Amino acid sequence: QQQVKQSPQSLIVQKGGISIINCAYENTAFDYFPWYQQFPGKGPALLIAIRPDVSEKKEGRFTISFNKSAKQFSLHIMDSQPGDSATYFCAAGLTGNQFYFGTGTSLTVIP
Amino acid sequence: DAGVIQSPRHEVTEMGQEVTLRCKPISGHDYLFWYRQTMMRGLELLIYFNNNVPIDDSGMPEDRFSAKMPNASFSTLKIQPSEPRDSAVYFCASRSTGDYYGYTFGSGTRLTVV
């Protein structure tokens, strides 16, 4: 059973627009929800993360929205820039244990 | 800190040959994870260790794959014999207990089996 489902698979956004990537998880015990950003030829790098006791977390242009009752969370990239073009992975898990990753979203920001 | 170090960065080998991938985790991290990334399946967890002990190897595809962690600063992932379907990017990641900032990934090893 896939623990984390991510959509869309790919996304094309105009510069300055908002990019939205969605994820849904299965296990209500999960207590940590990170997002990773991966550039070609590099390993995924932690971008932003949230715990289920808050509904939103913002860091610069990146915001996570979290809906515990729906078991969903999303990444919003405001004022998207060409440099944001990368693959984004959501993940979920229990602190101290393994994370389950989504299948990734390839984001392209058009100048 | 130099981060998680993986070697080699690229490996091209012939079908049937043995392949060994190497990982040096961040000093002080007590968890080490091996992932495989492909276009079709995304990031798949193969195995992870805690304090050098394998905790979950249910993701290892078959007996051709094996992983060891002889000490806190070194781990290997071995494929013997290799097959073309093993071609993928293999990532190593590490974290420490109670680290709320998630994993640190290495740069990966791109394996091509011809």
Side-chain angles (χ1 to χ4, degrees):
Chain A
Q1 182 183 16
Q2 193 173 356
Q3 295 281 352
V4 178
K5 296 180 181 179
Q6 181 172 349
S7 63
Q9 187 175 21
S10 62
L11 183 62
I12 299 174
V13 173
Q14 292 278 354
K15 178 183 176 181
I18 302 173
S19 304
I20 301 174
I21 305 170
N22 301 300
C23 283
Y25 63 97
E26 292 293 326
N27 190 337
T28 55
F30 288 159
D31 64 354
Y32 189 62
F33 303 87
W35 284 89
Y36 285 80
Q37 179 187 54
Q38 184 181 28
F39 293 105
K42 301 291 186 182
L46 181 65
L47 182 64
I48 185 173
I50 197 168
R51 294 199 170 276
D53 53 345
V54 297
S55 60
E56 185 176 282
K57 183 174 182 180
K58 184 176 181 180
E59 290 185 0
R61 296 184 293 107
F62 300 89
T63 300
I64 300 178
S65 296
F66 187 82
N67 186 330
K68 188 174 182 178
S69 61
K71 295 190 291 183
Q72 295 176 346
F73 58 112
S74 60
L75 176 69
H76 297 237
I77 306 174
M78 311 300 288
D79 186 26
S80 298
Q81 299 296 313
D84 297 330
S85 297
T87 299
Y88 293 81
F89 293 92
C90 63
L94 287 167
T95 305
N97 288 282
Q98 65 166 295
F99 292 152
Y100 297 90
F101 283 85
T103 50
T105 297
S106 176
L107 171 65
T108 303
V109 181
I110 300 172
Chain B
D1 199 317
V4 177
I5 300 173
Q6 291 187 246
S7 64
R9 288 298 309 274
H10 302 274
E11 177 79 40
V12 180
T13 190
E14 292 185 348
M15 183 174 64
Q17 296 298 306
E18 177 179 293
V19 176
T20 299
L21 311 182
R22 297 173 176 79
C23 175
K24 176 179 169 54
I26 290 174
S27 178
H29 281 192
D30 53 351
Y31 282 87
L32 184 140
F33 304 82
W34 282 101
Y35 281 87
R36 177 171 68 177
Q37 185 177 37
T38 61
M39 289 295 292
M40 292 297 295
R41 301 173 70 89
L43 274 167
E44 300 176 274
L45 177 66
L46 300 177
I47 185 171
Y48 78 96
F49 296 83
N50 179 220
N51 292 321
N52 315 335
V53 176
I55 302 301
D56 185 352
D57 65 354
S58 60
M60 296 286 261
E62 46 199 277
D63 292 345
R64 298 185 297 108
F65 286 68
S66 63
K68 294 182 180 180
M69 192 165 185
N71 57 62
S73 60
F74 184 66
S75 178
T76 59
L77 178 67
K78 186 176 294 185
I79 308 172
Q80 166 64 19
S82 57
E83 296 183 3
R85 59 191 169 122
D86 302 330
S87 297
V89 180
Y90 291 81
F91 287 104
C92 175
S94 71
R95 66 178 292 181
S96 63
T97 300
D99 181 354
Y100 296 135
Y101 296 98
Y103 302 173
T104 300
F105 281 85
S107 296
T109 294
R110 180 173 295 278
L111 173 65
T112 303
V113 183
V114 298

